[in-house]
Amino acid sequence: MAALYEGYTLCGLAPAQNQSNSGVLGVEAERDSDHVVVTDSTRSVTLYKVSDQKPLSSWTVKQGQTLTCSAVYNPQTKEYVAVSDGKVSADVWRVHCVAGGEPVVLFKRGAVRLLDALLSAPQQPIEEVLAQEESIRWSTNIVTESQQFAIFTTEQKGDHFLYLQRLNPNTLQRYRLEREEPGLSPLSFSASYRDKHIRLLYLYPNGHVYQSVVSERGLVTDEGGQAFPLPRSLLLSLPVGEGLLEAASAQALDEAHIAVVGVPHPSAGSGKDFLCIWNTNFQTLQAGKEIAGKIYGQLWSFWNKLFIPHGKTLSVIPYECPKSSLASALGKMRQVKTEGELEQICSTATTFDTAPVEEVQREVDLLLSRTDIQDLQPSLGQLASTLVSRTLQDPAFYTPSSLAQLVHTRCLCHSVCPDLVLLALERKDYFLCQLCLQFFPDIPEAITCACLKAFISLEPDGVSFMETLIARERGPDGLLNGFSPTSAAEYRSDGLGGGGTRAQQDEEMTSPPPEQICPVGLHKAVLLNEVLQTAYSDSFLLPHLKDLSSQQVVLFLQYLQFLYLKYSQDAFPQTHGLRSPSLSQILDWVCVLLDAHFTVLVMTPEAKGLLVNLHSFVKSQVRLVSELGKIEGSLQELNKMTAKKDVGQYSIEIIELF
């Protein structure tokens, strides 16, 4: 069964002149699965880290200029390519760049050029490929094993055409799409490549989703300007409610699943817009999520994440599409044996009188011993929800080991079992909280702050903390709650948690300054480190941080200051076996805490020295960056220099820096 997980906001939308437009020109993949480039319809391009929902860099064109197509990342030159005011040699429609291919420029009149060839002769004449009154409606770029294609569709007097431009050798094919009902034009297109065929997917306002398939080899040649008819097959007939669809989009996810946004849910009635995943093989709806706010008919898909502008935000919604059999497409387990096992365990877990914790634990252990555990993801989510539900109803029932095992499979997430983290906090099961923070990619900011508040308030010896963590966190590699026994001792000697002989303690009391002594115990520090590494959005985190007391904020800032000093000493990141936050994560949390509590901290006497120290840290960093900026040019020249090959056993080389 396909699944849609809990979404999160990547960024707000820039105001658009046309209210029917989202203000987003495009979302493009960047160098890896955690970065995207977002181009708005005004003047800016922003690089985002998706997991942290943070802008890393931003560029703006000059006043009076506008960006006319989405910017793309060129992995060959590690540069970004954008077009302002729509023109190079002629009017540009789009620039495309995909992994494994060269950047391609598509002009509004249908001509195609490789970017390098265009930049080498920017004044070259650009031919007109399209007929009069023919305009491009959509385009993409596909790289196959042996070829690169520029693909675009056009419209002319109610007729729609598909163009396939092969780049090597340079050939062009033109196809005519079959007409739908009079007056209906496709709302969206998407293309994919599979099994030596290019597959075009398109959605009409009446809810019909069609697919047309063109072979990569043996493409027909357009002679005499005539377009060949393009056969199509009806994949889905989606419910549209009353009237026709106005702003909707369909995107192929794999050979059997498509995502559709802006179409009503079959069982929710009209008036609400949904994001849905449909199985085209079995004509079944597999996952659905209501989308709040205005839908603009835009949808992008990269690395099992859907990017959707709606209302005033650009949201990211993770998804998964495991291979489906007819049984799983209809909402059943893939194997009868698995279904029987799950029903038995769930039945056992929900019986209050005859199902002790030990029996449930045995049943879960048996299920998790299977070799095909990854195929049982929907089953494991259902099982976890069943265990959590019974625990909430019966205070005497709790299976911490079973829940921890289920989280360890990495088949769960917060959206699948939303009550799990709060249950762990209620039961003071901080080990389970730690696992959820590690393995759940979609924990909401409210839950993150609830964990932070609970962790920062822990007493050193509260809730049998030592015994619980030591007994349950030691894994097969000997790591203890993120620490090996050796690294824990090293960390303690650096000021974390105290301990050691009386002589060692006396020495520690006289040697390090106060800010170099960790203000929290060893295990509390490990839990706080998990919070620091959890993804969040500043705008959603800030309101919940205000619930922290001034004493909690001061203690947390003192710990962040301690971590910062450890990084400055270049000792903390190299500690063996330690799951430690990055320097940028530490500084980001300092900033967001100060944003949420600055006025209160200024009025708190205990925070005065801390704020002065943080100010001096920032000042020193600014000074360092300024000094590095002065020698940036020289360092770049050193990087460009090539080492001489014929160097003897001994040589002296003089390098002049200007």
Side-chain angles (χ1 to χ4, degrees):
M1 285 281 287
L4 289 168
Y5 298 121
E6 190 73 22
Y8 46 88
T9 298
L10 182 65
C11 62
L13 299 181
Q17 295 180 351
N18 184 354
Q19 293 190 357
S20 63
N21 193 314
S22 70
V24 178
L25 280 179
V27 178
E28 299 289 341
E30 217 253 12
R31 56 182 177 268
D32 57 35
S33 62
D34 200 26
H35 295 82
V36 293
V37 180
V38 179
T39 307
D40 65 42
S41 58
T42 54
R43 300 187 302 123
S44 66
V45 178
T46 307
L47 170 64
Y48 286 94
K49 185 177 181 182
V50 179
S51 60
D52 290 342
Q53 302 105 60
K54 283 186 171 55
L56 301 181
S57 303
S58 183
W59 305 270
T60 305
V61 295
K62 296 179 181 179
Q63 189 72 33
Q65 294 181 327
T66 57
L67 292 166
T68 48
C69 71
S70 60
V72 298
Y73 177 72
N74 183 357
Q76 297 178 348
T77 61
K78 296 181 171 56
E79 296 175 334
Y80 297 87
V81 182
V83 178
S84 62
D85 300 328
K87 205 173 186 67
V88 180
S89 302
D91 289 340
V92 174
W93 167 260
R94 280 289 306 272
V95 179
H96 290 288
C97 187
V98 295
E102 298 184 55
V104 171
V105 180
L106 172 62
F107 291 89
K108 287 188 176 180
R109 299 305 302 157
V112 176
R113 294 286 190 278
L114 292 175
L115 179 62
D116 287 346
L118 182 62
L119 294 179
S120 63
Q123 301 303 320
Q124 63 183 277
I126 303 298
E127 71 276 11
E128 292 198 4
V129 176
L130 305 185
Q132 290 186 353
E133 301 183 14
E134 187 178 8
S135 301
I136 297 177
R137 291 291 177 257
W138 167 86
S139 64
T140 191
N141 190 26
I142 285 181
V143 176
T144 69
E145 293 89 347
S146 59
Q147 186 55 258
Q148 183 172 356
F149 292 93
I151 304 172
F152 56 98
T153 63
T154 65
E155 181 178 6
Q156 180 188 23
K157 297 180 179 179
D159 287 324
H160 293 268
F161 301 90
L162 170 68
Y163 287 78
L164 296 180
Q165 173 73 60
R166 183 193 294 259
L167 298 181
N168 185 25
N170 198 341
T171 58
L172 178 68
Q173 290 80 37
R174 184 173 185 248
Y175 299 90
R176 182 192 301 270
L177 274 65
E178 294 184 32
R179 282 202 175 210
E180 191 63 0
E181 299 174 13
L184 292 185
S185 297
L187 291 175
S188 73
F189 292 92
S190 75
S192 59
Y193 173 77
R194 188 174 71 254
D195 300 331
K196 306 294 185 181
H197 288 80
I198 295 172
R199 302 167 190 273
L200 183 71
L201 186 80
Y202 40 111
L203 167 67
Y204 279 92
N206 57 6
H208 289 179
V209 180
Y210 293 97
Q211 178 178 262
S212 295
V213 180
V214 179
S215 173
E216 176 193 8
R217 297 177 179 272
L219 296 172
V220 296
T221 303
D222 180 14
E223 299 178 354
Q226 297 298 315
F228 289 83
L230 183 64
R232 69 182 186 183
S233 58
L234 181 64
L235 287 185
L236 285 173
S237 184
L238 299 173
V240 298
E242 300 177 0
L244 298 173
L245 301 176
E246 296 181 358
S249 182
Q251 179 82 33
L253 303 180
D254 60 21
E255 65 272 16
H257 298 89
I258 67 170
V260 184
V261 69
V263 176
H265 193 284
S267 59
S270 59
K272 295 182 179 180
D273 289 311
F274 279 78
L275 169 67
C276 296
I277 295 181
W278 288 80
N279 187 303
T280 56
N281 288 345
F282 305 112
Q283 305 284 298
T284 56
L285 175 63
Q286 301 224 314
K289 182 181 290 289
E290 184 176 355
I291 303 297
K294 183 178 178 62
I295 297 293
Y296 302 98
Q298 292 175 297
L299 179 65
W300 295 271
S301 174
F302 307 110
W303 318 294
N304 280 52
K305 299 181 184 73
L306 295 168
F307 296 78
I308 306 170
H310 61 99
K312 296 183 179 180
T313 61
L314 174 61
S315 291
V316 182
I317 300 180
Y319 72 90
E320 191 167 37
C321 294
K323 290 185 177 181
S324 299
S325 65
L326 179 58
S328 63
L330 295 174
K332 299 179 181 178
M333 296 300 128
R334 296 183 63 177
Q335 300 176 14
V336 175
K337 181 180 179 182
T338 302
E339 182 176 356
E341 291 180 17
L342 181 69
E343 288 181 355
Q344 179 182 350
I345 298 174
C346 290
S347 175
T348 301
T350 53
T351 307
F352 298 97
D353 298 328
T354 60
V357 170
E358 295 78 10
E359 183 178 349
V360 174
Q361 178 67 52
R362 279 197 304 273
E363 296 285 354
V364 173
D365 289 342
L366 185 62
L367 179 67
L368 296 182
S369 65
R370 295 173 58 113
T371 57
D372 60 343
I373 191 66
Q374 293 299 322
D375 295 334
L376 308 179
Q377 180 168 358
S379 310
L380 299 182
Q382 181 183 347
L383 175 57
S385 298
T386 301
L387 294 176
V388 170
S389 178
R390 177 176 172 185
T391 303
L392 292 173
Q393 296 173 9
D394 181 5
F397 179 86
Y398 187 49
T399 56
S401 180
S402 296
L403 292 172
Q405 286 178 277
L406 289 169
V407 174
H408 256 300
T409 65
R410 305 196 180 202
C411 292
L412 303 184
C413 64
H414 176 79
S415 56
V416 168
C417 196
D419 295 324
L420 179 56
V421 182
L422 291 178
L423 173 65
L425 287 175
E426 178 186 329
R427 293 299 182 110
K428 298 183 180 180
D429 188 347
Y430 301 113
F431 171 60
L432 183 57
C433 290
Q434 181 188 4
L435 289 180
C436 293
L437 289 172
Q438 281 188 29
F439 296 135
F440 288 3
D442 57 345
I443 293 182
E445 287 77 1
I447 303 296
T448 300
C449 279
C451 291
L452 171 60
K453 192 171 183 178
F455 297 164
I456 205 74
S457 303
L458 276 175
E459 295 296 331
D461 298 322
V463 297
S464 302
F465 200 43
M466 279 286 206
E467 293 80 358
T468 303
L469 290 178
I470 290 175
R472 291 166 49 197
E473 284 199 41
R474 191 181 299 275
D477 53 359
L479 295 185
L480 169 61
N481 201 16
F483 293 80
S484 66
T486 302
S487 67
E490 293 173 358
Y491 207 52
R492 187 178 296 111
S493 68
D494 285 336
L496 257 175
T501 66
R502 177 62 181 270
Q504 290 173 332
Q505 292 175 351
D506 291 342
E507 182 182 350
E508 290 173 0
M509 290 177 62
T510 57
S511 54
E515 61 269 16
Q516 293 188 12
I517 299 176
C518 185
V520 300
L522 173 64
H523 296 287
K524 184 188 290 189
V526 173
L527 293 174
L528 291 177
N529 285 353
E530 292 300 340
V531 172
L532 294 177
Q533 296 173 81
T534 302
Y536 65 88
S537 172
D538 292 8
S539 57
F540 290 101
L541 185 67
L542 272 171
H544 302 289
L545 284 178
K546 296 181 184 295
D547 293 336
L548 297 176
S549 68
S550 59
Q551 290 79 11
Q552 291 170 333
V553 173
V554 169
L555 180 58
F556 194 27
L557 282 173
Q558 287 172 342
Y559 179 61
L560 292 171
Q561 175 186 249
F562 167 79
L563 293 182
Y564 177 87
L565 285 174
K566 284 295 176 186
Y567 267 97
S568 67
Q569 296 169 0
D570 202 28
F572 184 70
Q574 285 77 31
T575 304
H576 302 295
L578 176 65
R579 267 184 53 84
S580 57
S582 66
L583 180 60
S584 63
Q585 288 171 326
I586 295 169
L587 295 178
D588 286 344
W589 270 95
V590 170
C591 292
V592 74
L593 274 175
L594 292 177
D595 286 344
H597 287 274
F598 185 74
T599 304
V600 175
L601 290 172
V602 169
M603 303 294 291
T604 304
E606 297 86 356
K608 182 178 179 180
L610 178 62
L611 293 177
V612 171
N613 285 341
L614 291 174
H615 174 72
S616 66
F617 296 156
V618 173
K619 190 175 180 179
S620 67
Q621 290 295 305
V622 171
R623 188 183 301 115
L624 174 62
V625 172
S626 176
E627 293 299 321
L628 290 175
K630 294 178 182 179
I631 62 172
E632 180 181 9
S634 299
L635 294 176
Q636 289 178 346
E637 291 301 319
L638 283 174
N639 192 42
K640 294 178 183 177
M641 296 180 65
T642 56
K644 296 181 179 179
K645 296 182 179 179
D646 298 329
V647 178
Q649 294 181 348
Y650 177 79
S651 67
I652 298 176
E653 185 175 357
I654 299 176
I655 301 174
E656 296 183 5
L657 300 177
F658 298 96

